[in-house]
């Protein structure tokens, strides 16, 4: 972390601390100390804790989109249901194991009831972005005759919702990772069996 620019060091220190102690459990001095700074020098970079937090959420949003490849993959469609499943499983591995995404998910779970912005972001990242992405993918698969013709938005909700629940189970009980991944894969395989064009 020492090689990072100071502004980023502050954000990553805030991410680590807030994911453990919650927003109200962390002060600016503690963030500064964990970033290797004296408290007052932090104010050269950010106005205060709320500014740090807002900048952190913006940083994480970019990281998530880049790592999940939302921008580049929206125009691409899998060639088969098997490819759909493998692509989805790769995204789940990223979601479950990326340290920044895991810590952010924890922060959103804690802070969604404190902040209207956090509530909106929690809904967006846990459901809406994924549903929108898969609705587009499913519409493309329907056009190509790989998926039966149906409402792509409803199908994407059916595809995504159980996965979100299972990932939250993993967050609470990481020792159940193998079970969670097995259930997710079985869910995807069942979805493919039911909705693939025969």
């Amino acid at each position: 972390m020492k090689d990072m620019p100071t502004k980023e060091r502050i954000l990553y220190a805030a991410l680590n601390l807030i994911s453990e102690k919650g927003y109200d459990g962390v002060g600016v001095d503690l963030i500064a100390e964990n970033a290797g700074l004296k408290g007052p020098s932090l104010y050269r970079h950010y106005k205060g804790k709320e500014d740090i937090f807002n900048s952190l959420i913006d940083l994480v949003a970019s990281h998530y989109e880049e790592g999940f490849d939302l921008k580049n993959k929206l125009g691409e469609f899998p060639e088969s249901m098997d490819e759909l499943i493998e692509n989805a499983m790769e995204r789940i591995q990223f979601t479950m194991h990326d340290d920044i995404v895991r810590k952010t998910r924890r922060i959103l779970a804690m802070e969604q009831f404190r902040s209207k912005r956090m509530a909106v972001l929690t809904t967006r990242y846990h459901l809406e972005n994924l549903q929108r992405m898969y609705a587009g993918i499913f519409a493309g698969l329907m056009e190509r005759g790989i998926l039966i013709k149906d409402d792509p938005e409803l199908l994407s909700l059916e595809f995504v919702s159980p996965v979100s629940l299972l990932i939250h189970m993993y967050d609470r009980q990481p020792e159940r990772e193998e079970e969670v991944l097995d259930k997710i894969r079985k869910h995807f395989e069942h979805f493919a069996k039911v909705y693939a064009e025969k």
Side-chain angles (χ1 to χ4, degrees), residues 96-132:
M96 288 172 70
H97 297 119
D98 184 87
D99 195 47
I100 292 171
V101 172
R102 282 186 326 100
K103 287 177 179 174
T104 302
R105 203 165 46 245
R106 184 179 174 114
I107 290 170
L108 289 173
M110 287 189 282
E111 301 300 326
Q112 63 186 311
F113 303 105
R114 180 193 71 82
S115 158
K116 186 166 179 67
R117 182 176 185 210
M118 290 301 102
V120 168
L121 287 173
T122 301
T123 301
R124 183 181 306 153
Y125 290 115
H126 291 178
L127 182 63
E128 290 172 346
N129 283 355
L130 294 171
Q131 186 184 5
R132 189 176 313 113

Side-chain angles (χ1 to χ4, degrees), residues 12-109:
Y12 284 106
L15 175 69
N16 291 332
L17 290 165
I18 295 170
S19 71
E20 289 298 319
K21 301 174 182 291
Y23 181 85
D24 290 335
V26 176
V28 172
D29 288 341
L30 186 58
I31 294 170
E33 180 185 324
N34 277 263
L37 304 168
K38 300 269 187 233
S41 64
L42 183 141
Y43 291 101
R44 281 188 238 139
H45 305 281
Y46 296 100
K47 294 174 192 166
K49 186 165 76 166
E50 193 67 27
D51 187 27
I52 293 169
F53 192 64
N54 288 331
S55 297
L56 173 62
I57 294 305
D58 293 339
L59 172 84
V60 168
S62 296
H63 174 80
Y64 186 80
E65 285 186 7
E66 183 182 308
F68 210 69
D69 213 12
L70 288 175
K71 290 177 182 168
N72 296 328
K73 294 286 185 187
L74 284 178
E76 295 179 13
F77 297 106
E79 298 293 325
S80 66
M81 294 303 280
D82 286 340
E83 190 178 325
L84 170 73
I85 291 169
E86 292 314 313
N87 289 349
M89 291 303 294
E90 282 177 31
R91 287 185 169 113
I92 285 159
Q93 290 287 347
F94 170 75
T95 298
M96 288 172 70
H97 297 119
D98 184 87
D99 195 47
I100 292 171
V101 172
R102 282 186 326 100
K103 287 177 179 174
T104 302
R105 203 165 46 245
R106 184 179 174 114
I107 290 170
L108 289 173

